[in-house]
Amino acid sequence: MWKKIFGKSDKTNIEPGESLFEQIDRERLPRHIAIIMDGNGRWANGKGMVRSVGHTAGVKALKRTLKAAIALNLEAMTVYAFSTENWKRPATEVEFLMKLFSEYLEKEIAEMDSDNVCIKFIGRVNELSPGLQKQIADAEQRTANNTGVRFTVGVNYGGQDEMMRAVRSLAQDVKNGTLEPDDIDCKLIESHLDTRELPPVDLVIRTSGDMRLSNFLIWQTAYAEFWFTDTNWPDFDKEKLAEALLDFGQRERRFGGLNKKK
Ligand code: FPP
C-alpha cells in the first residue's frame, strides 16, 4: 500500500511499516475533511456481535480521528452521524444511537474544550429530544470561542433537506419583498446553509466499501476529492487517516480550470 501511495511522490525513502502519519506533508493538507463513518453494523456482525457494539466502537474511532485532526491542526472536520433517512432503522437502534450521542457529549465535551475544538451540529437539530437539544446547545456555547478544529456533527442531517430549508428561507425573503430573485447567487445560497461558517469540503472519506455520497453535504462537496476504503469505521485510525491525506496530497485539483503545465 505504501508503494501505491508514494508512487508519484518524491518521498522514496519511506520503508513499509513506518508510520504514515509522520509522513504527512503539512503543506498539502485539506482545509476541510468530511467523513461518512460507515460500517459499524458490518464490523459488529462480522465479529458475531449486535450492531450496537459496532456503534460503540465507532465512537472510539471518532475520538481517535478527532485527536489526529487536532494533532494536524486541521481547520475543519465534519462527520455524518445520523441522516434524515436513518429514522427508518428499527426504533431500538435509533434510541441506542441517540443515547450514544448524548453520552458522547457528556463524556467528551470537557476534553474537546481543552483541546480548543469548536463543536457545532448541523441538520434538523430542533427535531431531536429536548434533552439532547439542550446538551447540543450547551456544547456549542461552551466551545464557541475556541479557535482550533471546527468539528461539525451531522445529526438528523440530509443535504437535500438542508438545501430545501435554504430555498424556503430565500423564497420567504422574496415574498417579504426584502430580496430580488436576481440577487440570489451561490454566495447567498451558501450563507443560508447549515455549514455557512465552514470552508468548502476538500476531501470526503467514506469507510466500509460503498462509494456514494448518501445525501451528505451535496452542495459543499462540489469540488471535493473522494477517498474510499474497505475498512469499517470502528477500525479507522490515524494511520488510515494518513493514507487518505497522503493520497489527497498527490491529487491535482483544477476546479474546472486547466493543468498549469499544459
Ligand atoms: C453507519 O454504520 C453509522 C451510523 C449510521 C452511525 C454513526 C455513528 C457513530 C460512528 C457513532 C459515533 C458518533 C457520534 C457523533 C458520537 P452502519 O450502521 O450504517 O453500518 P452498516 O452499513 O455496516 O450497517
Side-chain angles (χ1 to χ4, degrees), residues 10-50:
D10 54 359
K11 296 182 176 177
T12 46
N13 55 345
I14 292 159
E15 296 299 327
E18 211 174 323
S19 162
L20 292 178
F21 195 76
E22 301 307 318
Q23 311 306 323
I24 294 170
D25 181 351
R26 310 269 172 134
E27 303 296 313
R28 296 185 68 83
L29 285 176
R31 289 180 69 192
H32 185 180
I33 62 171
I35 309 181
I36 302 176
M37 310 178 288
D38 199 11
N40 293 349
R42 276 166 278 180
W43 181 89
N45 290 339
K47 293 180 180 309
M49 295 186 287
V50 290

Side-chain angles (χ1 to χ4, degrees), residues 135-243:
Q135 278 186 292
I136 287 172
D138 289 349
E140 288 182 342
Q141 203 179 10
R142 178 172 176 166
T143 63
N145 296 322
N146 289 349
T147 54
V149 178
R150 303 178 81 99
F151 175 46
T152 307
V153 184
V155 174
N156 196 15
Y157 173 86
Q160 291 178 339
D161 178 74
E162 178 190 33
M163 290 188 66
M164 182 198 69
R165 288 186 279 112
V167 169
R168 273 193 188 161
S169 157
L170 290 165
Q172 193 62 52
D173 290 347
V174 171
K175 190 178 170 195
N176 295 343
T178 55
L179 178 66
E180 288 296 322
D182 281 350
D183 290 336
I184 299 174
D185 58 13
C186 290
K187 245 183 145 168
L188 190 67
I189 293 172
E190 274 163 12
S191 73
H192 283 70
L193 298 177
D194 296 350
T195 52
R196 55 190 155 267
E197 287 157 14
L198 296 172
V201 174
D202 296 305
L203 175 65
V204 175
I205 296 173
R206 183 173 185 145
T207 57
S208 200
D210 289 331
M211 297 186 194
R212 52 177 172 259
L213 198 48
S214 298
N215 202 14
F216 189 40
L217 301 174
I218 53 178
W219 174 284
Q220 301 85 342
T221 53
Y223 277 99
E225 300 292 323
F226 286 76
W227 191 84
F228 301 101
T229 175
D230 286 339
T231 300
N232 288 318
W233 177 249
D235 287 329
F236 197 83
D237 60 12
K238 69 180 203 175
E239 286 296 286
K240 274 280 153 200
L241 178 68
E243 268 186 49

Side-chain angles (χ1 to χ4, degrees), residues 53-73:
V53 178
H55 294 315
T56 305
V59 177
K60 292 193 182 134
L62 178 57
K63 181 166 182 177
R64 286 196 293 270
T65 308
L66 180 59
K67 282 285 184 189
I70 294 164
L72 292 167
N73 203 19

